[in-house]
Amino acid sequence: MKHAEKKAGTLIEALPYIQEFYGKTIVVKYGGNAMINEDLKQKVMEDVSLLKYVGIRPVIVHGGGPDITSFLKKVGKQSDFVSGLRVTDEETVEIAEMVLDGKVNSDIVNMLNCRGVRAVGLSGKDAGLIKASKKMATVYDDAGNTEKVDIGYVGQVESVDTKILQDLLDNGYIPVVAPIGVGEDGESYNINADYVAAEIAGALHAEKLLLLTDIEGVYKDFNDKDSFISSLTVAEAREYIKDGIISGGMIPKIEACLKSIECGTNKVHIIDGRQPHSIILELLTNSGIGTQVVK
């Protein structure tokens, strides 16, 4: 009986959050270990399906870095990164598009459809969803100065046409977006999925953007677990990047958080996708997890 009461208590705890987010759009950036570990994959899909069934409007934007790296190794290409962004020549962007759109996206759609929700896979090329241009990587030196570096067919979002997303959401579908954009001359750009999720969340005026990653959140000193930051303002985040407290692969995530808030997202959360049911824990429980970024 006590076990049953505990289950009932969990549902009651979730009720005010379900009421708060009912009918609201939540963008989930799906990436990291949660895309590799089979058990975690299933739990993420369960979480997203549950959100849909309780009346929340989820949108998934996915990465696929490990799959791209694996395929590049098979064809004898090395992966190099600058400020957390993959250096991408013409052959690499073709491989990235094939892996992201042809394999990763269709796998996610299939897993969701198997749970009874209706998902539709999209590339940023579909219906003019994502217009893109070349992105130069920003490199910081020890003095805090910056330098722009050309890293090839890596894109930045110029505009998002949300019509196809709104149409799908209004008709009960979950959009699943691969982070490929199209340039002025029809060229493909591989775009960091964090940035794509941020731009889409902002364009949709989403209630929340959840970034699934492979750490608990943001630390002032990663080696000191007591330095965990549960909440971070936009101004603080910019200062931490400049001072080198936030560095490497965390830079694109934090820059994505800032961009998303500037574009109209209410709140952004960096959460540990290695924790089972991390999406539900963040959205539908009192405790929450991870680092939130606010204005």
Side-chain angles (χ1 to χ4, degrees):
M1 181 62 72
K2 286 186 177 180
H3 184 61
E5 289 177 358
K6 185 177 180 181
K7 283 187 174 182
T10 301
L11 292 171
I12 294 303
E13 180 183 334
L15 179 59
Y17 299 103
I18 293 172
Q19 291 173 319
E20 179 182 357
F21 300 134
Y22 183 85
K24 302 286 181 64
T25 299
I26 304 288
V27 177
V28 176
K29 187 272 175 169
Y30 176 44
N33 202 51
M35 293 189 73
I36 302 169
N37 181 288
E38 286 300 324
D39 184 56
L40 289 175
K41 277 185 187 180
Q42 302 307 321
K43 286 179 168 52
V44 169
M45 297 307 139
E46 288 169 358
D47 285 6
V48 173
S49 299
L50 176 61
L51 296 184
K52 177 62 183 170
Y53 278 120
V54 298
I56 296 169
R57 291 157 47 111
V59 177
I60 295 178
V61 178
H62 64 82
D67 287 290
I68 295 171
T69 300
S70 176
F71 201 95
L72 288 171
K73 281 182 180 178
K74 290 178 182 178
V75 299
K77 289 185 70 72
Q78 180 180 334
S79 296
D80 296 314
F81 293 86
V82 176
S83 295
L85 299 171
R86 187 189 304 272
V87 179
T88 306
D89 60 17
E90 191 170 356
E91 183 183 17
T92 299
V93 77
E94 289 177 1
I95 290 171
E97 184 171 5
M98 178 184 68
V99 172
L100 291 169
D101 199 15
K103 179 183 182 297
V104 179
N105 190 279
S106 61
D107 286 348
I108 296 169
V109 168
N110 184 54
M111 285 188 287
L112 288 169
N113 287 342
C114 286
R115 282 166 174 77
V117 294
R118 298 186 300 169
V120 173
L122 298 168
S123 161
K125 287 182 167 183
D126 293 325
L129 175 59
I130 300 172
K131 300 293 186 185
S133 63
K134 179 188 284 287
K135 178 179 176 63
M136 305 290 281
T138 303
V139 177
Y140 292 82
D141 64 20
D142 293 339
N145 300 312
T146 63
E147 179 186 357
K148 297 293 185 181
V149 178
D150 189 338
I151 50 177
Y153 288 90
V154 174
Q156 61 187 7
V157 177
E158 289 296 328
S159 64
V160 175
D161 185 343
T162 61
K163 186 178 188 312
I164 184 66
L165 298 177
Q166 293 285 11
D167 287 348
L168 289 170
L169 289 167
D170 291 345
N171 284 281
Y173 293 94
I174 299 176
V176 180
V177 182
I180 297 292
V182 60
E184 281 188 357
D185 298 322
E187 68 274 28
S188 296
Y189 284 105
N190 183 22
I191 311 175
N192 182 282
D194 295 323
Y195 294 139
V196 173
E199 294 276 2
I200 285 177
L204 290 171
H205 298 288
E207 180 66 19
K208 286 182 183 287
L209 166 61
L210 305 181
L211 297 174
L212 271 63
T213 184
D214 286 342
I215 61 172
E216 294 88 348
V218 180
Y219 291 86
K220 283 189 176 179
D221 178 358
F222 189 72
N223 295 316
D224 179 8
K225 296 304 180 184
D226 291 333
S227 69
F228 182 77
I229 303 170
S230 59
S231 186
L232 189 63
T233 68
V234 168
E236 288 170 339
R238 289 202 175 101
E239 193 65 28
Y240 288 167
I241 292 174
K242 184 179 178 182
D243 293 343
I245 294 171
I246 294 170
S247 60
M250 186 55 75
I251 291 175
K253 295 191 185 303
I254 295 298
E255 287 182 340
C257 294
L258 305 184
K259 182 66 175 178
S260 190
I261 290 172
E262 288 169 1
C263 290
T265 307
N266 190 18
K267 285 185 179 179
V268 183
H269 301 259
I270 298 171
I271 62 176
D272 189 354
R274 301 168 303 175
Q275 184 167 348
H277 297 300
S278 57
I279 295 172
I280 295 302
L281 289 172
E282 174 58 44
L283 287 179
L284 304 183
T285 69
N286 293 331
S287 54
I289 57 174
T291 298
Q292 73 170 358
V293 182
V294 297
K295 289 182 181 179

